[in-house]
Amino acid sequence: MNNRSAIHLIVPAFLGVLIFTFFPLIQIAIPTFQAKGNVFAEYVRFLQNSYNLQVIARTFMISVITVIIVLVLGLPVSLWIARQKVGVKQVLSLLILFPMLTNAVVRNFAWIIILGKDGILNKLFMALHISNQPVSILYTNISIVIGSVYLFLPIMITSLIGSISELNIEVEEAAAVLGATPLTSFFKVLIPQLTPGIFTGCILVFAGTMTAYTTPQILGGNRHLVMSTLIYQQAMTLGNWQSASVVAIVLILISAFSMWLMRRISHMLDRRPSLA
């Protein structure tokens, strides 16, 4: 294939990406720079508001906590699944992905039944005499984290299974022959090789949690807004589309910078030999 034919094939795809990805972003960004005097006045006003900073901090905190919990839960499960026989691994992988076939709204409403004051969890606490009265779990940051972990855990496990399946088990066996304990082999042999897969999963979970709307709206309510629900509030409830556009652009910038930073760290920690 010559260069001209390659260009002819690339141009339609490039135009499609340009039109359906960047053009809507440009349309969102344009109203935020129409303030008189200082073009960044809307962003300055947004960042000077302490409540908006609390929303940003809450969104970032929930995303980071979700990533940590999902990684801690997903790593051993994915390691166990990846070491099973091919048939068993395929069945387990399908079971892991099965919850994703259910609508996110339905799954989050199920958590209302579990976490509510008359829910299953509170009844269990009271039956075990852990608490004498219902605990307020629903419509808190904790409930958002729980829902986010449930929502994105399959993504982390799937990402790690692919990375673990590509590992050479002989490296671990060699470490064991040289006297490495299972714990030492896990942290000094296995984890360094899984760094790209771990960071790929972390990026996907972090980006998904930062931009998720359904889970924070249903499980967080109006008292614990995150940036996505703040966008909805500003646009649909208050009718302030300019402010909603500012929040959207800030959310995009924070997410993009965080993902770029994690990718940089992943490349720095990747100990796999280069093929170049």
Side-chain angles (χ1 to χ4, degrees), residues 10-21:
I10 292 173
V11 167
F14 176 77
L15 291 176
V17 172
L18 188 65
I19 293 172
F20 294 108
T21 302

Side-chain angles (χ1 to χ4, degrees), residues 28-255:
I28 292 174
I30 287 175
T32 66
F33 297 106
Q34 293 181 344
K36 296 180 180 180
N38 184 4
V39 293
F40 297 103
E42 292 297 326
Y43 293 94
V44 173
R45 188 179 298 110
F46 173 79
L47 295 175
Q48 286 178 340
N49 189 314
S50 60
Y51 180 78
N52 293 334
L53 295 179
Q54 289 178 8
V55 172
I56 293 175
R58 181 184 299 119
T59 307
F60 190 80
M61 179 193 67
I62 290 173
S63 300
V64 171
I65 293 175
T66 300
V67 168
I68 293 173
I69 296 175
V70 165
L71 180 60
V72 172
L73 295 177
L75 187 55
V77 173
S78 58
L79 184 61
W80 177 72
I81 293 176
R83 297 293 165 83
Q84 302 299 315
K85 295 180 180 179
V86 176
V88 177
K89 183 170 70 173
Q90 290 177 345
V91 172
L92 292 174
S93 298
L94 288 175
L95 290 176
I96 291 295
L97 293 174
F98 182 76
M100 299 183 68
L101 301 178
T102 308
N103 188 276
V105 176
V106 176
R107 285 182 283 168
N108 284 310
F109 272 110
W111 278 109
I112 293 180
I113 300 174
I114 297 172
L115 301 176
K117 287 190 176 182
D118 295 325
I120 299 171
L121 194 60
N122 268 311
K123 289 182 179 179
L124 179 62
F125 287 162
M126 296 177 69
L128 297 175
H129 301 289
I130 297 175
S131 175
N132 295 325
Q133 57 184 3
V135 181
S136 297
I137 304 174
L138 192 61
Y139 306 126
T140 64
N141 294 336
I142 296 175
S143 63
I144 299 176
V145 170
I146 292 173
S148 299
V149 168
Y150 174 73
L151 191 65
F152 295 107
L153 184 59
I155 296 176
M156 176 65 78
I157 294 176
T158 304
S159 175
L160 291 175
I161 288 175
S163 299
I164 295 171
S165 300
E166 297 176 358
L167 295 182
N168 187 357
I169 197 171
E170 294 179 355
V171 177
E172 297 177 60
E173 294 174 350
V177 170
L178 293 173
T181 63
L183 195 61
T184 302
S185 178
F186 179 78
F187 284 104
K188 293 190 175 182
V189 177
L190 185 64
I191 294 298
Q193 296 183 82
L194 289 177
T195 300
I198 289 174
F199 274 90
T200 299
C202 289
I203 289 171
L204 293 174
V205 173
F206 182 85
T209 309
M210 281 285 292
T211 57
Y213 169 77
T214 304
T215 299
Q217 179 64 32
I218 295 176
L219 299 181
N222 294 325
R223 292 194 303 171
H224 294 80
L225 294 179
V226 295
M227 296 190 72
S228 57
T229 52
L230 180 61
I231 293 172
Y232 181 87
Q233 182 193 72
Q234 292 293 323
M236 306 305 295
T237 305
L238 302 178
N240 190 344
W241 287 90
Q242 188 178 43
S243 179
S245 298
V246 171
V247 182
I249 296 300
V250 171
L251 175 59
I252 292 170
L253 292 176
I254 293 175
S255 301

